[in-house]
Amino acid sequence: MSALRDHAGTVRLVDHHVHGCWLSPVGRHRFENALNEANTEAVASFDSAFDTQLGFSVRAHCSEMLGLDRHVEPDVYWAARRTIPEDVLAQRFLRAAGVSDWMVDTGFADGVAGIDELAALDSGRVHEIVRLETVAEQAAAAPGDYAAAFDELLWRQTRTALGTKSILAYRGGFPGDLSEPSPAEVADAAARWRDAGGMRLRDRVLLRFGLHRALRLGKPLQLHVGFGDRDADLHAANPTHLIDFLRGSGDTPVLLLHCYPYEREAGYLAQAFNNVHLDGSLSIHHLGARSAAFVGRLLELAPFRKILYASDGFGPAELHYLGARLWRAGIATTLQGFVDAGEWSQPDAVRVIDLIAHRNAERVYGLS
Amino acid sequence: MSALRDHAGTVRLVDHHVHGCWLSPVGRHRFENALNEANTEAVASFDSAFDTQLGFSVRAHCSEMLGLDRHVEPDVYWAARRTIPEDVLAQRFLRAAGVSDWMVDTGFADGVAGIDELAALDSGRVHEIVRLETVAEQAAAAPGDYAAAFDELLWRQTRTALGTKSILAYRGGFPGDLSEPSPAEVADAAARWRDAGGMRLRDRVLLRFGLHRALRLGKPLQLHVGFGDRDADLHAANPTHLIDFLRGSGDTPVLLLHCYPYEREAGYLAQAFNNVHLDGSLSIHHLGARSAAFVGRLLELAPFRKILYASDGFGPAELHYLGARLWRAGIATTLQGFVDAGEWSQPDAVRVIDLIAHRNAERVYGLS
Amino acid sequence: MSALRDHAGTVRLVDHHVHGCWLSPVGRHRFENALNEANTEAVASFDSAFDTQLGFSVRAHCSEMLGLDRHVEPDVYWAARRTIPEDVLAQRFLRAAGVSDWMVDTGFADGVAGIDELAALDSGRVHEIVRLETVAEQAAAAPGDYAAAFDELLWRQTRTALGTKSILAYRGGFPGDLSEPSPAEVADAAARWRDAGGMRLRDRVLLRFGLHRALRLGKPLQLHVGFGDRDADLHAANPTHLIDFLRGSGDTPVLLLHCYPYEREAGYLAQAFNNVHLDGSLSIHHLGARSAAFVGRLLELAPFRKILYASDGFGPAELHYLGARLWRAGIATTLQGFVDAGEWSQPDAVRVIDLIAHRNAERVYGLS
């Protein structure tokens, strides 16, 4: 156990992009499906989500948290897990993550803990991130001028929230025009969308409007990039297609989330634009035994003050924990390799761990 | 020699995507050109296909099979090789691959052994995979309604064949509409193509028709993805452009072949769709000393029950052997690393080797 | 210290793509900005270009050249650096690079040494590479027929120059038609461009014209690929979009520069076309502690006679040195790994080092 590994294993984390965890019991079927991010259908009967890198990581690292041996069989893991109340599991895993601050995307919270419930777990401070597409849907449902309603809702909700998030990747993707639309275009598009019911925003004009309102607000803007579920076209979530948008994004911090398999492209953008940052988030726990290699790839072109930690945990609290556990192991392995090769000094490695673990997030989000 | 490496070195393989090997003697020029996959011209006089990862692997691993030292000079290798009859070489290399079942794409077989000749080598069972574009060309040459002729030919040829294959990547690529065309569209397109001679299908409507007929047939459908020769535009063979097609592909197993350099994207699709599988096949032997790293990348997002072994050997029987030899070494190195890091258990690693080596293929193709 | 590492550490290099270094003192602000390639604005005040892989590499490897300990703090490095005249630094770093021949792209030389000044440093022979877009701008300013003026200028400038270079990636990118335009199209486009001032060529017809003139000239043609500054759209600098152009490029050597993060795609093209070559150049020093992994990725599909060394140094002479220093370390680490694994022989590894270090460049450029 090197000093570096020891530091990585205990450093305080800010999880700048996460969702709620479950608080009520679920069945095994639902549990297994929650280990598959990309599939929007039930995992096939011939398959098991335990037979994946993430499934193997659950058995390797979460077993101990249930008092079991490493690598126990899925049936053994499940039998032990179902005897423990979900909220007890949640608190156990969240506390073990070593996270001081959780920034929670509340835009999709089906079946998972809300802000207040997470705070009640007493496992770190809880902050909100406001999803722009949800604000848009609320504005569509509000009376009067759409743009004014959007601005009012965004302003009100972000008085306490730390930032905004867009899932443009799921609503048509990045290629194409992302410039700010004119007020007339916005009014026309809003009228059409309201006539059509105002649900599940996919109108490009209104998506662009939301993004530019978020830029004007100036609070950090998170963007889903790369790996997610198959409702998005992966190739349309390649962040290189954001370059024109980023050229006009000014000083508002932009945070590229997940990024896999476009982490090298995202790192390039983080070097190219002062306001662009990135994380690896859910890609880390989904890559399991391959996650250290991914953590290494995040440390290529991106300046070290532009890389943040996140888990993107959603549902099973194992994910909130595994993100941290695997990141800690991956950054230690990666940086120890740099130190052993004589490329980095040990104090530099410790400092970069601190930057990614919490200092960069504290600067970007203005956390005290 | 660890137990894991020992198991990987001896496990029985199903080679689910391969072509025939040579049975008649060839000259050195043709041999060297067969070590270059991408180039459709003769390798330049200043160059040598021996000065590649594949060339070095031939000298490292195939030399012993000719009674030579590892790493002998190309001239020495060639001098020894030309003294051995091609069919003797073929049998020696194929048997040494440790393959119980060969699934042979008979769509391109210029100068190589056919199904019966391969079976006569007594080196494993031989099965057929039917190329859809060849069926289309036969249907164009048949009398009467094109669609009916295609269906009749497909049905007849797949009574004994285990699956189908498309080389859409070589006939315009993946981007663009891949929905099922209407009968009228098919009839019109077939009439135009027949008038033009009915050779080398590139008509998009008829390519789409063939793919959807294969889906309806329900037998596994293999798709060439990524690395191949320069007749294909590599960027149009990126499997992310298949996502709309896959959304409508139902339960028919789809197998993404080769995948390099899009193996991460292919792994994503294998997680996103219950019916999608992948292999590394010819990328493995072409990467030589770098193939273990590639085998590792195949073990990222793809569930372990969705990854298959294949060699894609064509021509020199060295390739049928090297695919196996390098996969065995690469999977052992990769999984031993996971076990040594405490991320995987040894029994899990052994089981995943079995899945990729033969169990997944047996399930997908219904092999007994 | 293995024999392989020793050989890599001392082998003579040809740096086939480089720019001038500074000869006059600069301030720290400018120095730090010169460590960021992608950003066209000043690095933000919250950031420091020292907190990057390149910055860490400067402190790790260049400190010794200033008589300092490895990994000294940026302030210490800067304090020592500013006491040494820039031309003394330049000579020290360039000589330590171990380069016998520098091929200098003179198309962008703002604030850096020209050909004669570099030659005066007495640190190796200096050759010129002519930038096609600069020739075009000179032809626009010349009297008479544009095409004739371009040909005359190109012919005159390349009598002594070793090759040409295009920055098409910065002038619209690779996707789209790159065929040779007709004389009438060229005349029309030239007239329009001259009317508009004839500055900073972005006209597609004239860019295509320049490329095809360079092919006809037959001297090696360098193309900027991938990583560069944000004026280029990274996705439009993916070399797979060059495939149609390459299909018609005949025997003229084409050299794909930098390539990151598309090095695997570039390697594919180097296998697919007899005339295509590649380097890693500035990607190497920007990747710092991650550069050995990148050097490994360059050794995948590209035949070993198609890979060249380059630094792409521009500005601080640290870059001219670091490119060499990190390539030497990276190739040694990579090839020692191949030898240790039994995949390559030691003599083969030594020979491949020689090919990449200087022999391939000598063949391509006809150096004696």
Side-chain angles (χ1 to χ4, degrees):
Chain A
M1 185 68 137
S2 71
L4 197 56
R5 195 166 289 277
D6 195 45
H7 184 68
T10 55
V11 66
R12 177 175 60 83
L13 300 178
V14 172
D15 190 338
H16 91 105
H17 173 61
V18 67
H19 301 264
C21 55
W22 291 330
L23 293 181
S24 308
V26 300
R28 177 161 173 180
H29 185 73
R30 186 159 169 217
F31 178 78
E32 286 211 30
N33 274 280
L35 301 184
N36 181 314
E37 174 72 15
N39 201 343
T40 51
E41 298 182 352
V43 170
S45 59
F46 69 76
D47 205 355
S48 164
F50 273 110
D51 267 357
T52 60
Q53 289 285 10
L54 174 53
F56 278 27
S57 277
V58 166
R59 291 167 48 221
H61 300 295
C62 300
S63 295
E64 295 171 356
M65 300 288 294
L66 307 190
L68 303 168
D69 289 339
R70 283 172 85 93
H71 313 300
V72 290
E73 289 302 306
D75 289 351
V76 175
Y77 186 85
W78 182 252
R81 189 191 199 284
R82 65 196 298 268
T83 64
I84 306 171
E86 199 72 33
D87 57 338
V88 173
L89 278 176
Q91 195 174 54
R92 192 182 298 175
F93 280 119
L94 266 62
R95 287 191 177 171
V99 168
S100 65
D101 295 83
W102 306 89
M103 302 193 194
V104 183
D105 172 2
T106 53
F108 182 63
D110 203 24
V112 299
I115 293 279
D116 294 340
E117 291 169 305
L118 284 168
L121 291 175
D122 201 19
S123 310
R125 294 190 297 179
V126 178
H127 314 274
E128 188 172 6
I129 301 293
V130 173
R131 197 178 279 198
L132 294 171
E133 291 76 14
T134 306
V135 173
E137 285 153 21
Q138 294 165 344
D145 179 64
Y146 172 84
F150 185 97
D151 283 347
E152 163 67 18
L153 285 160
L154 181 63
W155 178 81
R156 187 152 20 106
Q157 292 180 31
T158 55
R159 269 187 301 181
T160 52
L162 291 185
T164 61
K165 182 190 174 192
S166 170
I167 54 163
L168 175 64
Y170 283 99
R171 305 296 173 89
F174 302 152
D177 180 16
L178 288 172
S179 66
E180 186 165 12
S182 71
E185 287 176 294
V186 172
D188 284 356
R192 279 195 306 273
W193 186 39
R194 280 170 163 169
D195 284 350
M199 303 291 286
R200 199 178 150 77
L201 177 65
R202 287 189 70 92
D203 180 274
R204 189 79 174 180
V205 168
L206 299 182
L207 288 161
R208 288 159 49 200
F209 171 77
L211 288 172
H212 284 274
R213 281 330 219 208
L215 290 182
R216 194 157 303 180
L217 183 73
K219 293 210 173 189
L221 167 60
Q222 301 180 346
L223 292 172
H224 172 99
V225 167
F227 181 34
D229 76 48
R230 75 191 209 200
D231 278 353
D233 287 359
L234 186 63
H235 60 84
N238 181 326
T240 60
H241 297 295
L242 289 170
I243 195 162
D244 260 338
F245 175 75
L246 295 173
R247 286 181 181 123
S249 61
D251 295 331
T252 299
V254 172
L255 297 113
L256 309 177
L257 309 179
H258 330 317
C259 296
Y260 181 97
Y262 305 120
E263 59 274 8
R264 291 194 162 109
E265 288 84 343
Y268 169 81
L269 295 171
Q271 179 181 122
F273 295 93
N274 285 321
N275 60 323
V276 173
H277 302 70
L278 79 163
D279 70 36
S281 61
L282 90 164
S283 315
I284 295 175
H285 55 256
H286 276 277
L287 292 171
R290 290 282 303 169
S291 59
F294 174 70
V295 169
R297 292 196 301 281
L298 292 175
L299 292 163
E300 295 195 350
L301 292 189
F304 304 140
R305 302 186 192 179
K306 305 296 219 45
I307 307 169
L308 280 73
Y309 169 75
S311 73
D312 198 19
F314 180 95
E318 280 93 338
L319 305 184
H320 300 70
Y321 170 68
L322 266 183
R325 171 90 184 220
L326 289 171
W327 179 82
R328 292 175 189 281
I331 197 82
T333 298
T334 301
L335 301 196
Q336 189 66 56
F338 295 166
V339 171
D340 292 347
E343 298 291 324
W344 285 31
S345 73
Q346 171 106 353
D348 279 332
V350 167
R351 190 169 57 82
V352 169
I353 288 174
D354 290 344
L355 286 170
I356 302 175
H358 56 84
R359 283 175 53 193
N360 291 338
E362 287 165 352
R363 188 197 79 240
V364 169
Y365 292 94
L367 282 183
S368 54
Chain B
M1 185 70 137
S2 72
L4 197 55
R5 194 166 291 276
D6 195 45
H7 183 68
T10 55
V11 66
R12 178 175 60 82
L13 300 178
V14 172
D15 190 337
H16 91 106
H17 173 62
V18 68
H19 302 265
C21 55
W22 291 330
L23 293 180
S24 310
V26 300
R28 177 160 173 181
H29 185 73
R30 185 158 169 217
F31 178 78
E32 286 211 29
N33 274 281
L35 302 184
N36 181 314
E37 174 73 15
N39 200 343
T40 51
E41 298 183 350
V43 170
S45 58
F46 68 76
D47 204 356
S48 164
F50 273 111
D51 267 357
T52 61
Q53 289 286 9
L54 174 53
F56 279 28
S57 277
V58 166
R59 290 167 50 221
H61 301 296
C62 300
S63 295
E64 295 171 356
M65 300 287 293
L66 306 191
L68 303 169
D69 289 339
R70 284 172 84 94
H71 313 301
V72 290
E73 289 301 305
D75 288 351
V76 175
Y77 186 84
W78 182 253
R81 190 192 198 282
R82 64 197 297 267
T83 65
I84 307 171
E86 198 72 32
D87 57 338
V88 173
L89 278 175
Q91 195 173 55
R92 192 182 300 176
F93 280 120
L94 265 63
R95 286 190 177 171
V99 168
S100 65
D101 295 83
W102 306 88
M103 300 191 195
V104 183
D105 172 3
T106 54
F108 182 64
D110 203 23
V112 298
I115 294 278
D116 293 341
E117 292 168 305
L118 284 168
L121 291 174
D122 200 20
S123 312
R125 295 190 297 177
V126 177
H127 313 274
E128 187 172 5
I129 301 292
V130 174
R131 199 179 279 198
L132 295 171
E133 291 75 16
T134 306
V135 174
E137 285 153 22
Q138 294 165 346
D145 180 62
Y146 172 85
F150 184 97
D151 283 347
E152 163 67 16
L153 285 159
L154 182 63
W155 178 81
R156 187 152 21 105
Q157 292 179 31
T158 56
R159 268 185 302 179
T160 53
L162 292 185
T164 61
K165 180 190 174 193
S166 170
I167 54 163
L168 175 65
Y170 283 98
R171 305 295 173 90
F174 302 152
D177 181 16
L178 287 173
S179 66
E180 186 165 13
S182 71
E185 287 176 292
V186 173
D188 284 356
R192 278 195 307 274
W193 186 40
R194 281 170 162 170
D195 284 349
M199 303 290 286
R200 200 177 149 78
L201 178 65
R202 287 189 69 92
D203 181 274
R204 189 79 174 180
V205 167
L206 300 182
L207 288 161
R208 288 159 48 201
F209 171 76
L211 289 171
H212 284 273
R213 281 330 218 209
L215 289 183
R216 194 157 304 179
L217 183 73
K219 292 208 174 191
L221 167 59
Q222 302 179 346
L223 292 172
H224 172 99
V225 167
F227 181 35
D229 77 47
R230 75 192 209 200
D231 278 352
D233 287 359
L234 186 62
H235 59 84
N238 181 326
T240 60
H241 297 296
L242 290 170
I243 195 161
D244 260 338
F245 174 74
L246 295 173
R247 286 181 182 123
S249 61
D251 295 331
T252 299
V254 172
L255 297 113
L256 309 176
L257 309 178
H258 330 316
C259 295
Y260 181 96
Y262 305 119
E263 60 274 10
R264 291 194 163 108
E265 288 84 343
Y268 169 82
L269 295 171
Q271 179 181 120
F273 295 93
N274 285 322
N275 61 322
V276 174
H277 302 70
L278 79 164
D279 71 35
S281 62
L282 90 164
S283 315
I284 295 174
H285 55 255
H286 276 277
L287 292 171
R290 289 282 303 170
S291 59
F294 174 69
V295 169
R297 293 197 300 281
L298 292 175
L299 292 163
E300 295 194 350
L301 292 189
F304 304 140
R305 301 186 193 180
K306 305 295 219 46
I307 308 170
L308 280 72
Y309 169 75
S311 73
D312 198 21
F314 179 95
E318 280 93 337
L319 305 184
H320 301 69
Y321 170 68
L322 267 182
R325 170 90 184 219
L326 290 171
W327 179 83
R328 292 175 189 281
I331 197 80
T333 298
T334 300
L335 300 196
Q336 189 67 56
F338 296 165
V339 171
D340 292 346
E343 298 290 325
W344 285 31
S345 74
Q346 171 106 352
D348 279 331
V350 167
R351 190 168 57 84
V352 169
I353 288 174
D354 290 343
L355 286 170
I356 302 175
H358 55 84
R359 284 177 52 194
N360 291 337
E362 286 165 352
R363 188 197 78 239
V364 169
Y365 291 94
L367 282 183
S368 53
Chain C
M1 185 68 137
S2 70
L4 197 56
R5 195 166 288 278
D6 195 45
H7 183 69
T10 56
V11 65
R12 178 174 60 81
L13 299 178
V14 172
D15 189 338
H16 91 106
H17 173 60
V18 68
H19 302 264
C21 56
W22 291 331
L23 293 180
S24 309
V26 300
R28 176 162 174 179
H29 185 73
R30 187 158 167 217
F31 178 78
E32 286 211 28
N33 274 281
L35 301 184
N36 182 315
E37 174 72 16
N39 201 343
T40 51
E41 298 184 350
V43 170
S45 57
F46 69 75
D47 204 356
S48 163
F50 273 111
D51 268 357
T52 60
Q53 289 285 9
L54 174 53
F56 279 27
S57 277
V58 166
R59 291 168 48 222
H61 301 296
C62 300
S63 294
E64 294 171 356
M65 300 288 293
L66 307 189
L68 302 169
D69 290 339
R70 284 172 84 94
H71 314 301
V72 290
E73 289 302 305
D75 288 351
V76 175
Y77 186 85
W78 183 252
R81 190 192 198 283
R82 66 196 296 268
T83 65
I84 307 171
E86 198 72 32
D87 57 339
V88 173
L89 277 176
Q91 195 173 55
R92 191 183 300 176
F93 279 120
L94 265 63
R95 287 189 175 172
V99 168
S100 65
D101 295 82
W102 306 88
M103 301 191 195
V104 183
D105 172 4
T106 53
F108 182 63
D110 203 23
V112 299
I115 294 278
D116 293 342
E117 292 168 306
L118 284 168
L121 291 175
D122 200 20
S123 312
R125 295 190 297 179
V126 177
H127 314 274
E128 188 173 4
I129 301 293
V130 173
R131 197 178 279 197
L132 294 170
E133 291 76 16
T134 306
V135 174
E137 286 153 21
Q138 294 164 346
D145 180 63
Y146 172 84
F150 184 97
D151 283 346
E152 162 68 17
L153 285 159
L154 181 63
W155 179 80
R156 186 152 22 106
Q157 292 179 32
T158 55
R159 269 186 301 179
T160 53
L162 292 185
T164 61
K165 181 189 174 192
S166 169
I167 54 163
L168 175 65
Y170 283 100
R171 304 296 173 88
F174 302 152
D177 181 15
L178 288 173
S179 66
E180 186 165 14
S182 71
E185 287 176 294
V186 172
D188 284 355
R192 278 195 307 273
W193 186 38
R194 281 169 162 171
D195 284 350
M199 304 290 286
R200 198 178 152 77
L201 178 66
R202 286 189 70 90
D203 181 274
R204 189 79 174 179
V205 168
L206 299 182
L207 288 160
R208 288 159 48 201
F209 171 76
L211 289 171
H212 285 273
R213 281 330 218 208
L215 290 182
R216 194 156 305 179
L217 183 71
K219 293 209 174 191
L221 167 60
Q222 302 180 345
L223 292 172
H224 172 100
V225 167
F227 181 35
D229 77 47
R230 75 191 209 201
D231 279 352
D233 286 0
L234 186 63
H235 59 85
N238 181 326
T240 60
H241 297 296
L242 290 170
I243 195 162
D244 260 338
F245 175 75
L246 295 173
R247 286 182 181 122
S249 61
D251 295 330
T252 299
V254 171
L255 297 112
L256 308 176
L257 309 179
H258 329 318
C259 296
Y260 181 96
Y262 305 119
E263 60 274 8
R264 291 194 163 108
E265 288 84 343
Y268 169 81
L269 295 170
Q271 180 181 121
F273 295 93
N274 285 322
N275 61 323
V276 174
H277 302 70
L278 80 163
D279 71 35
S281 61
L282 90 164
S283 314
I284 295 175
H285 54 256
H286 276 278
L287 292 171
R290 289 282 302 170
S291 58
F294 173 69
V295 169
R297 293 197 300 281
L298 292 175
L299 292 163
E300 296 194 350
L301 292 189
F304 304 141
R305 301 187 193 180
K306 305 297 219 43
I307 308 169
L308 280 73
Y309 169 75
S311 73
D312 198 20
F314 180 95
E318 280 92 339
L319 304 185
H320 301 69
Y321 170 69
L322 267 182
R325 170 91 184 220
L326 290 171
W327 179 82
R328 292 175 189 280
I331 197 81
T333 298
T334 299
L335 300 196
Q336 190 66 56
F338 296 165
V339 171
D340 292 346
E343 298 290 325
W344 286 31
S345 73
Q346 171 105 352
D348 279 331
V350 167
R351 190 168 58 82
V352 169
I353 288 174
D354 291 343
L355 286 170
I356 303 175
H358 55 86
R359 284 176 53 193
N360 291 337
E362 287 164 352
R363 188 197 79 239
V364 170
Y365 292 93
L367 281 183
S368 55

